Amino acid sequence: MNVGDAAERSGLPAKTIRYYEEIGLIRPARAENGYRDYSGDDIHRLAFLRRARNLGFSIDDCRQLMALYQDRGRASHDVREIAAAHVKAIEEKVRELQSMRSTLQKLIHACHGDDRPDCPILDDMAGAA
């Protein structure tokens, strides 16, 4: 099937599919005319990548996960380590976002929100006391 059909079946934009090919995540066969020819296995790999990316895994993580997925001799602890590291990174990001929210809430509370030019939000961003 062509890239348009692959996009429809996998749920990924054609541009993303071409990018994944460019960086070596997938390697579809080529028809005699030189066009990409996606197989059912290619669609399955693309759906795998779509799900992994939707879970927030990086391209490098996806590359490792795809290699592990295709390796029937893999150890599940290798997959678990990648997933656990990802959860740890997510938790750190959540803490950072909560801290940003808290800071912004304090600044919003300190702002009078009237016609005066003084603004604690801008002062904080500018590093002023």
Side-chain angles (χ1 to χ4, degrees):
M1 72 191 78
N2 65 29
V3 70
D5 294 334
E8 186 175 322
R9 287 188 173 187
S10 68
L12 291 170
K15 186 175 181 175
T16 299
I17 295 172
R18 288 186 193 102
Y19 173 69
Y20 287 169
E21 182 184 2
E22 182 182 315
I23 63 173
L25 280 175
I26 59 163
R27 289 188 175 83
R30 294 282 178 162
E32 287 183 21
N33 60 8
Y35 292 127
R36 294 168 184 87
D37 187 16
Y38 294 90
S39 68
D41 286 343
D42 291 324
I43 301 307
H44 185 74
R45 283 188 284 277
L46 288 168
F48 178 96
L49 291 168
R50 185 191 77 234
R51 177 72 172 139
R53 293 293 286 154
N54 284 344
L55 288 170
F57 285 101
S58 69
I59 292 292
D60 287 338
D61 287 342
C62 287
R63 190 179 308 283
Q64 289 179 299
L65 290 167
M66 180 66 74
L68 288 166
Y69 178 70
Q70 293 173 333
D71 177 7
R72 290 294 173 199
R74 69 183 172 261
S76 63
H77 69 83
D78 293 336
V79 179
R80 188 171 197 252
E81 285 179 11
I82 294 169
H86 186 55
V87 167
K88 187 176 179 181
I90 290 170
E91 289 169 346
E92 179 59 31
K93 187 65 174 175
V94 167
R95 282 190 292 277
E96 290 172 8
L97 290 169
Q98 288 172 333
S99 176
M100 284 190 285
R101 180 183 63 196
S102 176
T103 299
L104 283 169
Q105 285 174 330
K106 288 175 187 172
L107 291 170
I108 290 166
H109 181 71
C111 180
H112 296 289
D114 55 18
D115 292 334
R116 292 184 289 180
D118 61 313
C119 179
I121 300 170
L122 294 177
D123 289 346
D124 182 81
M125 288 181 197

